[in-house]
Amino acid sequence: MNLEERIRVEPDGSLTAFSGKIEFGQGIRTAFAQLVANELDVPVERVRVVLGDTDEVPFDFGTFGSNSIAQEAPALRRAAAFARRTLIDRAAARLGLPAKRLDTKDGTIGDGDGKRVTYAELVQDSPLTGAIPDDEPLLPEGRWRHIGTPLSRVEARDIVTGRARYTADVRLEGLARGAIARPPVRGARATRVDERAARAMPGVIAVVHDGDVIGVVAEREDQARAAADALDIDWDTPKAEASSTQVVPLREDAGTDAAIASAKLTRSATYTLPSIASASIGPSAAVVDVRGDGATVYAGTHRPFGLRDTVADRVGLPRERVRVQAQMSSGTYGRSSAPDVSIEAAVLSKHASRPVLVQWTRAEEFAYSPNRPEAVLEVAAGLDGEGRIAAWRYDEHTNVHTAAGPDPRVAAMTSGRNAVPPYRIPHAKVVLHVEPTPLRTANFRSLAAAENVFAIESFVDELAHASGQDPLAFRLRHVDDARLRRVMERVAEVSEFGTKVPERRGRGFACTEYHGTYVAQVAEVEVSASGAVRVLRIWCVIDPGLVVNPDGVRNQTEGGIQQSASWTLLEELRHKGGRVATTSWDTYPIATFRDAPESIEVLVEGDASAPSTGVGEPGAVPTAAAIANAVFAACGARVRDVPLTRERVRKATQPA
């Protein structure tokens, strides 16, 4: 990697940093600015971070898996450190002083006698260039000014004051609106399209039938939608092709079944989770301007370079002639991994010879966007005579968790994520079954981790109670990882887990390790006589290694907890025969302010000696199990099916 691909000193002495990652709420733009400012010894506000512009940033595969800080922090720090050393060498030549006598301060370089030169002066005639060494030394911790310092997100003021610009806010000269005629069910193909009525309607610029894209371009959105509705289309719904279940062994120890059969105490249970929607506040949108010699795409996306290549291939342009300018997303949680809305806008723009904005409706978003898959999780275990887990059998039945489809090379890390428990178990058999579904499923926050940890941590809780052991002590008996043990003990301490709480209240415990980030949570709930569950408080301790911005870590973790509580208590995408039935907020409720816990206390206690790991997803992973375990502690209802509706709680409370 060359320095000019990562760091640029501007004529005014400010700095620009470049990354192929995308900001969609995680706070990485702020963290990246802190990293660069730290190594180059400048105020953070003097650093501008360019993200996801394919004409400016280095190639990046995509933003997902809570990998942004883990992947980019080392690269950006090395680039900034190399830039600092290069600037010092230039200053030494200009000032006629040995480089070892010089140091940096607020964008200047000099010695202790007042001789100083600015970064801007040092690049006036020659920009920074050169290959970045892999072993470039970084500033020692004693010199850090910004790493580990809480800092509000650099976009925060624009967001809360309404100045922030999202994809649907993009306005280009000659911008037209597009609308798509949707098939009645997934996979249906148009066999006949009568365009006559649509073409005669006011404002219509073009009626397009290009492959699987059938739509209208008009001057106004209402005109485009009315014309799209006027298209007379015959649809052919092909018979569903038989598809087999993909079986992926994740851990297979010999003698597991025999060990369960011979155990002193055995238990088994089945947990289910429904399909849920991304339910982003802003529906998908894209603005695309396709011209004869190139195209520009304005869209929220997890993969700018992947989107560039997909659009280029679809409209018949060389990839290097397509530019993606990634926009701020109004919520994504994996949704923006799919390029659908951008492809639609690109095809319409190509035929209309105008830039086109396509914005999905709320109903389209629910009915046609990819969703988190359903899951059925079957688990059995046996305890030995000392109350320890002797054997564990786990079968995860779920659907494809990525837009790439059922690739067996990645299934273990996507559909099978976190299916192997983080505990010491002598014999275990963990098998993933990726099963077909008529629904469109793909990337969702934490992929399968939230599903698997719900089942694992709920069942571990069941084993503890069945054997008469304290749930925390039982877990700790099976933990070898010192960092996991520390967050578990710490959250128990701050929440006073195990102390008496008022009647109809209960506290539940859950923990996990997710992509190197350790997180433990305690939830306190209140269960009414009707079975309604109210989350009162959640405590969380998180260790993501070296912490760049504690405030950013806390924000991400709080948001993940709140969103996961919404999944746990309210959300379910209802469907039948491949058709989604819940297509509006009144039939698909999400948590609002009145549903928020009274308090969410997040303690950021990273191990500074460990590499930085991600926080975009881990906070959401153990929450469902912590809440379900708290419900059991409150009223004795062991609810194994999400969402935890009052009907399910009442049913689980009744004697079998």
Side-chain angles (χ1 to χ4, degrees):
M1 182 71 69
N2 292 321
L3 183 56
E4 59 269 28
E5 297 178 76
R6 286 293 193 174
I7 302 289
R8 184 171 69 218
V9 179
E10 305 294 354
D12 64 356
S14 64
L15 300 168
T16 301
F18 302 92
S19 171
K21 297 297 183 188
I22 294 298
E23 172 69 70
F24 42 77
Q26 326 92 295
I28 61 171
R29 190 187 302 274
T30 306
F32 289 172
Q34 288 180 267
L35 292 167
V36 171
N38 195 79
E39 294 298 329
L40 275 160
D41 199 9
V42 298
V44 173
E45 56 269 20
R46 296 286 287 168
V47 179
R48 182 176 73 98
V49 181
V50 175
L51 299 173
D53 186 328
T54 56
D55 274 13
E56 292 199 64
V57 303
F59 175 81
D60 185 88
F61 186 70
T63 306
F64 37 72
S66 295
N67 284 323
S68 294
I69 295 295
Q71 292 176 353
E72 289 291 88
L76 283 171
R77 290 185 69 191
R78 283 199 311 271
F82 180 50
R84 179 176 180 272
R85 179 163 64 88
T86 303
L87 289 166
I88 288 176
D89 289 342
R90 290 186 181 185
R94 175 172 292 208
L95 298 174
L97 296 170
K100 63 182 179 181
R101 284 185 52 188
L102 303 180
D103 209 347
T104 54
K105 182 179 180 182
D106 292 336
T108 66
I109 300 174
D111 63 3
D113 297 327
K115 292 183 177 180
R116 305 204 72 81
V117 61
T118 67
Y119 290 174
E121 293 172 308
L122 294 170
V123 299
Q124 202 166 34
D125 301 319
S126 177
L128 295 180
T129 60
I132 304 168
D134 291 337
D135 59 350
E136 182 66 35
L138 307 175
L139 280 182
E141 186 174 352
R143 291 285 308 277
W144 292 357
R145 292 174 56 192
H146 304 297
I147 293 178
T149 302
L151 185 67
S152 297
R153 284 178 52 187
V154 296
E155 313 95 337
R157 183 172 293 278
D158 283 350
I159 291 172
V160 299
T161 58
R163 287 197 298 265
R165 190 178 77 162
Y166 299 86
T167 303
D169 298 319
V170 173
R171 293 293 180 268
L172 304 178
E173 184 177 352
L175 182 67
R177 304 306 198 270
I180 303 297
R182 303 288 176 192
V185 293
R186 184 184 177 202
R189 294 287 183 264
T191 58
R192 184 187 65 87
V193 180
D194 187 339
E195 307 173 353
R196 289 173 295 181
R199 287 189 180 280
M201 296 181 73
V204 171
I205 298 168
V207 177
V208 178
H209 183 188
D210 184 336
D212 59 352
V213 175
I214 304 173
V216 174
V217 181
E219 297 292 350
R220 302 199 312 261
E221 183 172 355
D222 61 325
Q223 294 170 335
R225 293 202 176 279
D229 290 340
L231 291 170
D232 185 9
I233 305 174
D234 290 339
W235 297 96
D236 176 46
T237 304
K239 293 182 179 179
E241 296 182 5
S243 53
S244 59
T245 297
Q246 178 185 352
V247 179
V248 182
L250 303 178
R251 178 177 169 182
E252 285 191 301
D253 298 333
T256 297
D257 292 337
I260 292 177
S262 62
K264 183 174 181 180
L265 184 150
T266 61
R267 286 290 185 275
S268 64
T270 299
Y271 302 86
T272 69
L273 298 97
S275 179
I276 58 177
S278 293
S280 305
I281 294 300
S284 298
V287 172
V288 183
D289 185 9
V290 178
R291 303 166 303 280
D293 60 346
T296 306
V297 180
Y298 305 85
T301 176
H302 287 254
R303 300 185 61 228
F305 288 92
L307 179 60
R308 178 199 66 182
D309 296 350
T310 300
V311 169
D313 293 346
R314 186 64 175 82
V315 299
L317 287 169
R319 293 179 174 182
E320 64 272 13
R321 301 302 301 165
V322 176
R323 179 181 186 179
V324 172
Q325 292 187 269
Q327 303 297 301
M328 187 179 297
S329 172
S330 51
T332 173
Y333 319 116
R335 167 67 182 99
S336 298
S337 292
D340 41 23
V341 67
S342 296
I343 291 173
E344 293 167 355
V347 171
L348 295 183
S349 175
K350 176 183 177 180
H351 287 272
S353 299
R354 294 265 296 269
V356 173
L357 163 63
V358 173
Q359 179 163 21
W360 286 23
T361 64
R362 176 60 55 196
E364 284 178 303
E365 194 67 42
F366 275 120
Y368 296 99
S369 69
N371 306 294
R372 189 180 81 175
E374 298 167 287
V376 176
L377 309 157
E378 300 171 321
V379 57
L383 304 186
D384 62 22
E386 296 181 352
R388 291 187 174 88
I389 302 174
W392 177 279
R393 186 175 64 241
Y394 188 83
D395 286 279
E396 177 194 356
H397 302 266
T398 187
N399 316 122
V400 171
H401 277 72
T402 68
D407 187 341
R409 296 170 298 177
V410 300
M413 287 299 297
T414 56
S415 295
R417 186 168 292 182
N418 279 66
V420 177
Y423 299 111
R424 183 193 338 106
I425 300 173
H427 300 279
K429 183 178 181 181
V430 179
V431 180
L432 166 65
H433 309 261
V434 183
E435 301 182 354
T437 173
L439 292 183
R440 185 182 177 205
T441 62
N443 311 58
F444 195 92
R445 192 175 194 172
S446 86
L447 298 179
E451 304 167 12
N452 284 316
V453 172
F454 167 68
I456 291 168
E457 285 297 289
S458 293
F459 191 65
V460 167
D461 215 66
E462 292 197 45
L463 292 175
H465 286 287
S467 58
Q469 300 182 64
D470 174 78
L472 173 61
F474 179 75
R475 287 175 171 83
L476 289 171
R477 294 183 71 186
H478 297 87
V479 172
D480 292 326
D481 192 311
R483 290 174 69 187
L484 180 58
R485 175 178 289 270
R486 185 173 64 82
V487 296
M488 292 169 66
E489 293 176 333
R490 186 77 175 101
V491 79
E493 175 188 351
V494 298
S495 67
E496 298 182 339
F497 183 72
T499 58
K500 187 176 178 59
V501 295
E503 188 178 358
R504 303 206 67 83
R505 292 190 183 186
R507 290 180 179 173
F509 189 97
C511 62
T512 195
E513 180 268 326
Y514 180 90
H515 274 355
T517 294
Y518 296 83
V519 57
Q521 295 177 4
V522 171
E524 180 177 333
V525 306
E526 183 175 65
V527 182
S528 71
S530 69
V533 177
R534 165 75 175 155
V535 180
L536 301 176
R537 303 181 67 185
I538 294 182
W539 296 264
C540 177
V541 175
I542 186 167
D543 172 6
L546 174 64
V547 176
V548 178
N549 183 0
D551 191 52
V553 174
R554 192 172 296 109
N555 289 342
Q556 275 293 281
T557 306
E558 290 174 355
I561 289 170
Q562 179 59 78
Q563 186 180 27
S564 188
S566 182
W567 306 336
T568 305
L569 300 179
L570 297 169
E571 298 183 38
E572 180 174 6
L573 193 71
R574 299 184 182 277
H575 59 92
K576 184 176 182 180
R579 300 192 186 204
V580 173
T582 44
T583 59
S584 62
W585 292 124
D586 60 338
T587 54
Y588 189 94
I590 61 174
T592 61
F593 284 113
R594 67 181 180 184
D595 302 303
E598 294 174 3
S599 71
I600 301 176
E601 183 177 346
V602 176
L603 278 69
V604 181
E605 300 189 354
D607 182 346
S609 66
S612 298
T613 49
V615 297
E617 297 170 308
V621 174
T623 306
I627 292 173
N629 292 337
V631 169
F632 176 79
C635 66
R638 180 63 70 181
V639 186
R640 301 186 181 97
D641 306 302
V642 173
L644 309 182
T645 63
R646 64 179 68 198
E647 293 79 13
R648 286 173 173 162
V649 173
R650 284 202 307 269
K651 183 177 179 180
T653 308
Q654 298 167 359

